[in-house]
C-alpha cells in the first residue's frame, strides 16, 4: 500500500510563529515586522483580548491588527513568553538598522562615506554597502543579502509547518494571528521550509516504511505520530497525462497554460479539495500536471507569491522566472534569494523587455508601474507569453499611471491577442504591507493617498486600446473565498473595483470583442 497526503490537508508555512510569507524570510525584514507590527498586536491582545474578539466579528475591521484566535489566551501568552529569546535576537538587528537610519547616515551630507563602515553596529558590520543618491546629499544603503542570510539572524529553526484539515472554501485571515495548535486536528512540525522531506510528502505515493521514516525524522511519536498518519490516505491510481494545448484560469491571478507540451503556471495560488460543500469545478492541487516547466511570478505580494502554494508545488517546478531587482533594500528584498532559500534550485531573473525562449513558447518581461505605494521597488513585471502565433499578457496589478507607456510597449511587442488585467482599483493603503519597513510612520492623509491600487476603468481602457486585444479578462480581484487567508476585501455591486471592471467589460464587448471578469475557474482555450 502506498499513501499520499489527503487533498483537504493544508500545510501552512510558519516563520517565527507567524504565517510565513516573503517579507518574513529575510532576517532584516523579519526583524522589522516582529518589532513594528507583531509585538504591538500581541501586547494589545494580552492587555485586552475582548477588543480583538469584538473587532474580528466586524467585517469593516477585516484585515486589521487583530488576533483571530482570541479565545486561546493562555496558549498565546505561553508561546509569546517562550519566544522572548527569539525576539531579543531579532531586536539586536532591528536596533542596528535603526541606528544606521536615524543616527549614523543622517550625519553625512555629501562628504566621504568611508568612516561609516567603522561606525556600523556589529549586527550589520560587513553586511551593508552605503552610498549617496544622485543628489549627492542623501546617504542610503543596501544589504549584502547573502551575508544577511549567512548571519545569526537567519535561523531555519524558527521555521515550521502546520498541518490541518480545510473544511470549507473560505479561509480565515492569517497574517495577524500566531500560528499555533489551536484545535486537536492541527499539528505543528519543526522543519525548515526548504526541507526535502516536504517534497517527498507532497509528491505522494509513500510506502509504509517511507511514511514511518518521515514521521520519525519529524520527531513525532505516540499521539502526534497517530495524528500525522491520519493526514494520509491510500494513494490514488495514476491518471493519464493530458497533452493538449490549454489556457485555463485557476483563480485570482493564477493561470495555467500548456502549449506543444510545455507547461506554464503564473502567480500560483491554489485551493484545496476533498471536503464537502466546496465550489464546484474549482481548480485544486490535484488538477496540476506532474511537471510545471515554467513558474512565473509577477511581483512580491503575498497573494501572488503565496508560500503555502509554492512549497506544495516545488517538487513539480522546473524553472522559476522572476522580475529582476538589485535594490536589496528593506522594501525590495531580492526575490531570487527568497526563492532559493525556499528550496527552488533554478531561478532566472528577467529585466524589462528581455525575451526568453521557454520550450515551445517565448516569454517577454514587460514594465509594471504602480500598486507599490510609490516606493522604489523593482521586483515587479508583467509577463507576455507568445504561444506560437498567439500572445497572452498577464499584467497582474499593473496600474496605467503613465498613459503613454503601453502605446510605446505596443510599438516594441506588437498587438496582443489576450490580456489579463487586475482591477482592484481601490487597494489598501501602502502601510498595510510596508508600514513596518518605514523609517517613520506616514501621516494618515499621505498614507491614504499612496494606495496599492490596480487600474481603474480609464487606465485599463487605455491599456486595452493600446494593445488592441481580441480577449480581455479582469482577474486578480480576490473574489475566490480561499484568498481570505492573505487578503481582506469585501465587495458589493457598488464597490469601485466592481464598477470599474464592469465598465471595462462593457467597453470591450461594445467593440465586438470578448471580455469577462473571472472568478473560480474557467477554461479559456483548448
Amino acid at each position: 500500500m502506498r499513501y499520499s497526503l489527503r487533498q483537504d490537508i493544508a500545510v501552512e508555512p510558519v516563520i517565527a510563529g507567524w504565517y510565513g510569507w516573503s517579507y518574513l524570510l529575510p532576517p532584516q525584514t523579519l526583524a522589522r515586522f516582529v518589532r513594528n507590527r507583531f509585538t504591538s498586536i500581541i501586547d494589545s491582545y494580552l492587555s485586552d483580548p475582548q477588543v480583538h474578539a469584538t473587532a474580528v466579528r466586524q467585517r469593516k475591521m477585516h484585515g486589521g491588527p487583530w488576533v483571530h484566535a482570541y479565545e486561546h489566551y493562555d496558549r498565546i501568552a505561553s508561546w509569546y513568553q517562550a519566544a522572548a529569546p527569539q525576539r531579543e535576537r531579532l531586536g539586536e538587528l532591528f536596533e542596528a538598522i535603526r541606528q544606521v537610519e536615524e543616527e549614523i547616515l543622517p550625519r553625512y551630507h555629501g562628504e566621504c562615506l568611508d568612516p561609516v563602515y567603522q561606525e556600523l553596529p556589529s549586527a550589520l558590520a560587513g553586511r551593508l554597502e552605503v552610498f549617496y543618491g544622485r543628489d549627492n546629499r542623501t546617504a542610503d544603503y543596501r544589504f549584502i543579502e547573502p551575508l544577511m542570510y549567512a548571519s545569526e539572524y537567519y535561523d531555519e529553526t524558527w521555521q515550521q509547518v502546520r498541518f490541518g484539515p480545510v473544511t470549507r472554501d473560505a479561509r480565515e485571515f492569517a497574517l495577524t494571528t500566531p500560528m499555533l495548535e489551536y484545535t486537536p486536528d492541527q499539528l505543528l512540525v519543526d522543519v525548515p521550509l526548504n526541507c526535502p522531506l516536504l517534497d517527498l510528502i507532497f509528491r505522494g505515493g509513500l510506502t509504509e516504511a517511507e511514511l514511518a521514516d518521515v514521521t520519525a525524522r519529524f520527531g513525532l511519536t505516540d499521539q502526534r505520530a497517530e495524528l500525522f498518519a491520519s493526514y494520509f490516505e491510500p494513494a490514488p491510481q495514476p491518471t493519464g497525462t493530458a497533452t493538449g494545448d490549454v489556457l485555463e484560469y485557476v483563480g485570482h491571478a493564477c493561470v495555467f497554460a500548456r502549449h506543444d507540451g510545455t507547461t506554464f503556471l503564473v502567480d500560483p495560488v491554489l485551493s484545496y479539495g476533498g471536503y464537502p460543500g466546496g465550489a464546484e469545478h474549482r481548480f485544486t492541487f490535484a488538477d496540476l500536471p506532474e511537471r510545471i516547466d515554467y513558474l512565473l511570478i509577477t511581483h512580491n505580494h503575498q497573494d501572488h507569491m503565496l508560500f503555502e502554494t509554492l512549497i506544495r508545488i516545488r517538487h513539480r517546478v522546473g524553472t522559476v522566472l522572476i522580475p529582476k531587482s538589485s535594490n536589496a533594500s528593506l522594501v525590495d528584498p531580492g526575490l531570487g534569494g527568497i526563492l532559493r532559500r525556499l528550496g527552488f534550485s533554478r531561478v532566472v531573473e528577467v529585466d524589462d523587455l528581455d525575451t526568453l525562449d521557454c520550450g515551445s513558447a517565448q516569454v517577454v518581461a514587460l514594465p509594471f508601474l504602480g500598486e507599490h505605494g510609490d516606493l522604489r521597488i523593482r521586483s515587479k513585471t508583467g509577463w507576455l507569453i507568445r504561444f506560437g502565433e498567439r500572445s497572452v499578457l498577464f499584467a497582474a496589478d499593473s496600474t496605467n499611471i503613465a498613459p503613454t507607456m503601453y502605446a510605446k510597449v505596443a510599438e516594441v511587442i506588437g498587438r496582443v491577442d489576450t490580456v489579463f488585467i487586475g482591477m482592484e482599483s481601490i487597494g489598501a493603503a501602502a502601510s498595510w504591507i510596508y508600514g513596518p519597513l518605514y523609517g517613520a510612520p506616514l501621516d494618515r492623509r499621505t498614507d491614504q493617498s499612496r494606495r496599492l491600487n490596480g487600474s481603474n476603468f480609464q487606465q485599463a481602457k487605455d491599456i486595452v486600446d493600446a494593445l488592441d486585444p481580441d480577449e480581455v479578462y479582469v482577474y486578480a480581484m480576490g473574489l475566490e473565498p480561499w484568498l481570505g487567508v492573505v487578503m481582506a476585501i469585501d465587495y458589493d455591486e457598488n464597490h469601485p473595483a466592481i464598477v470599474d471592471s464592469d465598465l471595462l467589460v462593457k467597453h470591450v464587448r461594445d467593440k465586438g470583442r470578448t471580455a469577462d471578469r473571472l472568478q473560480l475557474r474557467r477554461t479559456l482555450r483548448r
Side-chain angles (χ1 to χ4, degrees):
M1 180 75 72
R2 291 184 177 270
Y3 298 90
S4 293
L5 195 66
R6 285 166 30 199
Q7 291 186 40
D8 65 327
I9 298 299
V11 183
E12 299 168 296
V14 182
I15 300 175
W18 299 89
Y19 185 84
W21 63 291
S22 52
Y23 276 82
L24 302 192
L25 196 70
Q28 62 273 18
T29 50
L30 174 61
R32 302 288 291 196
F33 270 87
V34 168
R35 175 66 67 86
N36 285 343
R37 177 160 293 173
F38 298 147
T39 297
S40 61
I41 289 174
I42 298 300
D43 286 348
S44 166
Y45 169 74
L46 295 179
S47 174
D48 193 346
Q50 189 56 46
V51 169
H52 291 247
T54 301
V56 299
R57 296 190 188 105
Q58 302 180 44
R59 293 185 65 175
K60 66 180 181 180
M61 307 295 280
H62 190 199
W66 316 114
V67 172
H68 285 244
Y70 54 83
E71 67 271 35
H72 297 281
Y73 185 91
D74 291 342
R75 184 164 299 184
I76 292 173
S78 176
W79 163 79
Y80 192 56
Q81 183 178 14
Q86 181 188 95
R87 292 196 305 278
E88 182 178 357
R89 195 191 312 177
L90 288 170
E92 295 173 3
L93 181 55
F94 175 91
E95 178 61 20
I97 295 171
R98 188 201 65 77
Q99 288 180 34
V100 169
E101 293 187 343
E102 298 181 15
E103 298 175 11
I104 298 175
L105 293 186
R107 299 202 308 268
Y108 291 81
H109 303 283
E111 61 270 39
C112 178
L113 289 172
D114 288 358
V116 170
Y117 292 97
Q118 310 307 315
E119 301 181 60
L120 291 176
S122 60
L124 293 175
R127 296 171 179 145
L128 285 189
E129 180 185 19
V130 296
F131 46 82
Y132 284 113
R134 289 184 63 249
D135 64 358
N136 285 307
R137 302 284 295 172
T138 305
D140 203 350
Y141 68 96
R142 73 173 184 92
F143 295 97
I144 304 174
E145 291 183 329
L147 296 181
M148 294 303 300
Y149 285 115
S151 75
E152 64 271 32
Y153 304 105
Y154 177 72
D155 191 338
E156 290 185 347
T157 68
W158 296 347
Q159 298 176 13
Q160 301 167 295
V161 293
R162 187 175 74 178
F163 290 82
V166 174
T167 59
R168 59 190 181 120
D169 285 347
R171 299 278 302 277
E172 191 166 41
F173 187 68
L175 299 186
T176 57
T177 300
M179 298 287 287
L180 308 179
E181 294 173 352
Y182 295 116
T183 62
D185 54 11
Q186 290 179 332
L187 180 67
L188 269 175
V189 175
D190 297 331
V191 60
L193 299 182
N194 59 18
C195 180
L197 290 179
L198 294 175
D199 297 324
L200 186 66
I201 290 170
F202 296 139
R203 187 175 290 112
L206 282 71
T207 65
E208 290 188 13
E210 288 172 329
L211 184 54
D213 180 62
V214 170
T215 304
R217 293 171 71 179
F218 279 168
L220 303 174
T221 59
D222 302 327
Q223 291 182 337
R224 293 177 69 79
E226 292 177 10
L227 178 58
F228 183 65
S230 74
Y231 300 143
F232 293 82
E233 62 185 1
Q237 292 296 317
T239 57
T241 301
T243 57
D245 291 359
V246 67
L247 181 66
E248 187 156 21
Y249 174 70
V250 172
H252 193 54
C254 187
V255 179
F256 171 73
R258 182 173 50 246
H259 177 71
D260 285 350
T262 305
T263 52
F264 300 83
L265 191 67
V266 182
D267 285 352
V269 176
L270 298 178
S271 64
Y272 294 90
Y275 54 88
E280 292 186 5
H281 309 303
R282 65 192 181 280
F283 194 108
T284 71
F285 291 98
D287 294 307
L288 285 173
E290 288 298 315
R291 184 70 172 173
I292 300 165
D293 296 308
Y294 294 93
L295 181 68
L296 290 76
I297 293 174
T298 58
H299 61 296
N300 190 15
H301 285 169
Q302 63 268 32
D303 56 319
H304 296 258
M305 186 167 153
L306 187 68
F307 275 21
E308 186 175 337
T309 293
L310 287 171
I311 63 173
R312 196 167 186 129
I313 67 174
R314 180 175 60 209
H315 67 282
R316 304 175 189 260
V317 173
T319 300
V320 187
L321 302 184
I322 60 171
K324 185 176 183 179
S325 174
S326 57
N327 287 340
S329 66
L330 282 174
V331 296
D332 195 16
L335 273 182
I338 291 171
L339 285 163
R340 291 182 186 99
R341 280 155 190 85
L342 202 61
F344 290 89
S345 59
R346 180 166 171 75
V347 181
V348 178
E349 299 187 46
V350 189
D351 210 345
D352 290 340
L353 294 174
D354 282 352
T355 300
L356 281 76
D357 290 323
C358 297
S360 61
Q362 245 186 9
V363 175
V364 185
L366 299 188
F368 179 147
L369 300 185
E371 211 250 342
H372 286 69
D374 299 321
L375 295 167
R376 187 176 182 231
I377 294 177
R378 281 283 287 114
S379 299
K380 57 187 190 292
T381 193
W383 294 111
L384 178 78
I385 307 182
R386 295 187 175 117
F387 300 111
E389 297 298 318
R390 295 194 62 85
S391 58
V392 181
L393 170 62
F394 304 95
D397 300 319
S398 181
T399 311
N400 193 19
I401 51 180
T404 62
M405 187 189 79
Y406 276 93
K408 297 183 187 306
V409 167
E411 293 174 1
V412 176
I413 66 171
R415 71 180 294 273
V416 175
D417 297 291
T418 302
V419 169
F420 290 84
I421 183 168
M423 294 189 68
E424 188 189 336
S425 54
I426 301 293
S431 62
W432 191 76
I433 289 181
Y434 301 110
L437 308 174
Y438 294 165
L442 295 177
D443 64 83
R444 179 173 175 78
R445 180 178 178 182
T446 302
D447 189 36
Q448 292 295 315
S449 75
R450 292 168 56 184
R451 304 187 73 89
L452 307 176
N453 295 342
S455 288
N456 61 27
F457 165 63
Q458 187 60 55
Q459 292 166 333
K461 175 182 177 295
D462 289 344
I463 292 175
V464 168
D465 290 347
L467 299 178
D468 193 30
D470 298 321
E471 302 171 321
V472 175
Y473 298 108
V474 178
Y475 77 150
M477 299 277 282
L479 294 169
E480 291 76 17
W482 45 88
L483 265 296
V485 71
V486 293
M487 297 182 70
I489 303 176
D490 291 314
Y491 288 120
D492 60 33
E493 61 184 9
N494 297 314
H495 191 286
I498 300 300
V499 173
D500 283 330
S501 55
D502 283 345
L503 288 171
L504 182 69
V505 169
K506 181 179 185 302
H507 169 71
V508 175
R509 289 178 176 175
D510 285 348
K511 296 168 66 174
R513 311 284 177 87
T514 299
D516 209 347
R517 184 175 59 235
L518 300 178
Q519 184 177 357
L520 294 177
R521 179 179 185 174
R522 181 85 64 85
T523 300
L524 302 172
R525 187 174 303 113
R526 286 193 183 276

